[in-house]
């Protein structure tokens, strides 16, 4: 896995064709995605729980797939969460810091 080396002499603008793009001087966001996936899984679970009281109505209208979509989203999100956490640990080991220090 390659890393971008951050240097002080990086360009602040790029010229592509006849356009000039200015590079903003900002800090990187959540690079490992753990928090993002956690929020996503939580939202799928909230959706599942919110739809449970309406199971009879969903079944009557033929929309039970909404409920199972929420469950599948939460399940796939948990798989993605495990992947993101393992990737964060691997990156931390490669750099030689604890995973919490990468946050």
């Amino acid at each position: 896995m390659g890393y971008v080396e951050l240097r002080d002499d990086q360009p602040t603008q790029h010229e592509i064709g006849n356009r000039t793009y200015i590079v903003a001087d900002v800090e990187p966001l959540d690079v490992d995605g753990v928090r993002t996936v956690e929020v996503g899984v939580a939202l799928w679970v909230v959706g599942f729980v919110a739809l449970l009281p309406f199971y009879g109505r969903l079944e009557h209208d033929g929309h039970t797939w909404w409920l199972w979509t929420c469950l599948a989203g939460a399940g796939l999100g948990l798989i993605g969460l495990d992947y993101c956490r393992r990737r964060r640990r691997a990156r931390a080991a490669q750099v030689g810091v604890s995973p919490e220090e990468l946050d």
Side-chain angles (χ1 to χ4, degrees), residues 2-103:
Y3 288 97
V4 175
E5 181 183 339
L6 299 177
R7 302 180 315 265
D8 289 336
D9 61 339
Q10 289 195 3
T12 57
Q13 63 183 20
H14 297 282
E15 293 189 26
I16 301 173
N18 60 354
R19 293 181 183 231
T20 301
Y21 298 94
I22 298 174
V23 179
D25 187 25
V26 296
E27 293 293 320
L29 297 175
D30 181 17
V31 293
D32 56 24
V34 172
R35 186 173 305 127
T36 304
V37 176
E38 287 172 343
V39 169
V41 169
L43 290 174
W44 281 118
V45 169
V46 166
F48 180 79
V49 171
L51 288 173
L52 272 178
F54 304 103
Y55 183 79
R57 175 85 182 255
L58 291 172
E59 187 175 36
H60 179 265
D61 294 340
H63 294 303
T64 54
W65 65 271
W66 291 1
L67 189 66
W68 307 125
T69 300
C70 290
L71 189 62
L76 290 172
L78 289 174
I79 293 169
L81 183 60
D82 180 56
Y83 171 79
C84 288
R85 285 181 176 163
R86 282 188 285 125
R87 184 175 58 154
R88 177 171 59 181
R89 282 193 300 270
R91 284 182 60 236
Q94 187 176 24
V95 177
V97 298
S98 70
E100 292 77 29
E101 290 180 48
L102 290 178
D103 287 341

